[in-house]
Amino acid sequence: MARYEKQSFTNQEVILDGNQYIGCVFNRCVLVFSGGGLPTLERCTFNSTRIQLDGAAQETLSYLGILSKAGLYANVGGVVTNIKKGVLPIPSRPQPCDPRDTGSNYRQLGAVAGVLAVITLVLIAALWYGFLYHPNQNILGGEIQRPLEAQIPLELMPVLPDNLAAAYDTHLDNQSVTLDSYGWTDEENGIARIPIEAAFEIILEDGPPIWPASGG
Amino acid sequence: MLTNERHTGFSAIRSLLILVMAVLVIAGCSNMEEQPKLDEPYQSSQTFGRAARELLPEAVPVGFERADDHFYAGIVDGEWAAEFPIEITAEVLAQGQKRYNEFCSVCHGLDGYGEGVISLEGFPQPASYHTDLLRSAPVGYLYAVITEGRGTMFSYASRIEPSDRWAIVAYIRALQLSQNAPVESLPEDAQDELAVLDQGQG
């Protein structure tokens, strides 16, 4: 990249690609740009000077012509208008590896994440269904297994009361009566039943009872 | 237009990702970082540092010293203890009753006759406390059965503290007394109650 300051070019073809021209004067020159590095032109003076595109730059110009001829006249005109106004075209595209350039990557990522989430939820639901609601069943088909019923012969199964909860209550109520009332355990031998609270008082008064090792 | 749409998509998805990451980061916060641990292994191996070491012989975990055989094993001089290692107070009896009803009554019954509710479901009945054998059993033996288990009864050592086991034994003694009280040893008011009972029956 060459740098030219306050130089004068006259009657010659100047290859601009990648060069800097500051305060230069061009008299009857042809400024050629081939699509290489962009040149810098600051405070330059141009007298009867032409511009010429070559190489890749010429290709770009031809491309715009093709677009215009194809019906995108307004679009090409807009580009030209912007150039005339000094508004630079959209900067060159970022590198393809930059994720900001490919918004669809995020969409793909979101889609993959969504699919994975759905699969996970389905698996959790299947496990939940299989292990919590049907612990003894083979949810994948086949013979239903009930290990407890299979291993204990029917004649050994306990016969449960019809209403187990009510049977519990009655059972506990009867025991509570035994525990909280006076009565006779062995009246002939003078052995009584007393409430547990009365037994507490006797133990607190006299200490825990001591029975002989043999006989009652 | 296309650019604006893309930026809108960016910000929404980026916000979602940031939210997900924040949730993951917050979910990762716990007190595990601050829990007691061995920062350095006691001794390094050639391949791995190792923090888990075998306990030394005679090592006792913190809070698990069991020096008092009477209190922790129910044994005095190699025999089952005949005396309680704790003072029997109203609080002890109340605690024993609470623990008995919670842990023991389902099998042994509220009244100690071995007819807990499990007997309704076909489970074999355990022993009744109201037999000569168990009335004369030393308290240390009853404590040891709670601690070690016996027959189909499993150990309650991991479920009931030693002090509560003794409280349960004290309550069992009260249960035995309540169902086997010699009349002549009862206070007058209790004898009066029995007399009223006799009159009612007569």
Side-chain angles (χ1 to χ4, degrees):
Chain A
M1 185 177 74
R3 178 183 176 91
Y4 304 93
E5 283 191 46
K6 298 180 179 175
Q7 291 194 21
S8 180
F9 301 89
T10 305
N11 290 327
Q12 58 180 291
E13 187 176 278
V14 181
I15 308 299
L16 298 179
D17 292 45
N19 296 334
Q20 289 184 323
Y21 301 90
I22 300 167
C24 294
V25 178
F26 298 90
N27 297 315
R28 297 179 299 282
C29 291
V30 178
L31 304 182
V32 179
F33 177 61
S34 305
L38 288 173
T40 302
L41 296 166
E42 294 180 5
R43 302 190 304 280
C44 293
T45 305
F46 305 97
N47 298 317
S48 304
T49 295
R50 296 187 295 116
I51 60 172
Q52 178 180 328
L53 295 177
D54 204 357
Q58 177 63 35
E59 293 286 319
T60 303
L61 201 60
S62 302
Y63 166 69
L64 289 175
I66 291 171
L67 290 181
S68 181
K69 193 179 288 184
L72 292 171
Y73 175 82
N75 300 57
V76 175
V79 171
V80 173
T81 304
N82 281 337
I83 290 173
K84 283 183 176 176
K85 288 179 182 174
V87 178
L88 291 177
I90 296 171
S92 59
R93 292 167 63 83
Q95 295 299 313
C97 61
D98 188 339
R100 288 172 300 184
D101 178 52
T102 51
S104 60
N105 281 0
Y106 280 96
R107 294 191 187 96
Q108 290 171 2
L109 188 63
V112 170
V115 169
L116 287 177
V118 170
I119 291 174
T120 304
L121 288 175
V122 168
L123 282 176
I124 290 174
L127 290 173
W128 184 278
Y129 176 84
F131 291 117
L132 292 186
Y133 284 100
H134 299 274
N136 293 330
Q137 292 185 11
N138 181 358
I139 60 171
L140 298 178
E143 187 177 348
I144 293 175
Q145 298 172 359
R146 295 184 183 279
L148 286 178
E149 292 184 7
Q151 291 171 11
I152 301 177
L154 195 60
E155 61 268 21
L156 293 183
M157 296 290 285
V159 179
L160 299 180
D162 290 337
N163 188 340
L164 198 58
Y168 278 4
D169 291 341
T170 306
H171 196 74
L172 295 176
D173 287 346
N174 292 339
Q175 293 186 346
S176 295
V177 169
T178 305
L179 204 58
D180 295 331
S181 63
Y182 286 94
W184 290 106
T185 302
D186 182 357
E187 188 169 4
E188 288 184 6
N189 292 314
I191 303 299
R193 186 183 77 229
I194 60 176
I196 188 69
E197 295 296 334
F200 280 6
E201 292 176 10
I202 293 173
I203 286 180
L204 292 175
E205 185 81 17
D206 304 335
I210 297 174
W211 281 277
S214 61
Chain B
M1 205 58 181
L2 178 63
T3 305
N4 288 341
E5 280 181 3
R6 181 178 295 176
H7 278 296
T8 306
F10 277 166
S11 58
I13 294 170
R14 188 180 302 159
S15 302
L16 183 64
L17 286 176
I18 290 172
L19 182 64
V20 169
M21 292 300 292
V23 168
L24 289 176
V25 168
I26 292 171
C29 295
S30 71
N31 293 328
M32 290 184 70
E33 184 69 23
E34 301 167 2
Q35 68 183 351
K37 59 181 177 294
L38 294 168
D39 287 335
E40 298 291 338
Y42 288 150
Q43 173 184 327
S44 61
S45 69
Q46 289 184 346
T47 309
F48 303 106
R50 185 182 171 196
R53 318 304 300 177
E54 291 183 3
L55 289 177
L56 296 171
E58 311 291 331
V60 177
V62 174
F64 280 79
E65 187 183 10
R66 297 289 186 260
D68 185 349
D69 278 351
H70 189 182
F71 185 77
Y72 288 108
I75 293 175
V76 175
D77 296 333
E79 302 284 339
W80 295 124
E83 305 282 340
F84 284 89
I86 59 174
E87 184 183 359
I88 306 303
T89 62
E91 290 75 23
V92 168
L93 288 171
Q95 177 70 1
Q97 183 177 34
K98 182 170 180 287
R99 285 285 181 257
Y100 178 89
N101 289 343
E102 289 169 350
F103 287 101
C104 314
S105 66
V106 287
C107 296
H108 289 278
L110 286 174
D111 52 13
Y113 282 98
E115 297 172 346
V117 290
I118 60 160
S119 64
L120 293 177
E121 302 199 39
F123 199 84
Q125 284 190 8
S128 166
Y129 299 129
H130 310 299
T131 62
D132 290 343
L133 183 66
L134 286 186
R135 273 193 290 266
S136 60
V139 291
Y141 172 77
L142 298 176
Y143 174 89
V145 170
I146 299 173
T147 305
E148 306 291 340
R150 189 175 190 282
T152 53
M153 173 177 167
F154 50 80
S155 165
Y156 281 82
S158 64
R159 297 169 176 78
I160 306 175
E161 287 292 308
S163 57
D164 280 357
R165 286 177 233 160
W166 281 113
I168 288 173
V169 174
Y171 180 70
I172 291 173
R173 281 289 189 246
L175 270 180
Q176 290 173 326
L177 177 62
S178 77
Q179 302 299 308
N180 196 77
V183 174
E184 66 272 14
S185 67
L186 293 177
E188 285 186 8
D189 56 340
Q191 294 191 20
D192 292 343
E193 292 279 355
L194 289 167
V196 170
L197 198 66
D198 283 344
Q199 290 171 4
Q201 287 176 347

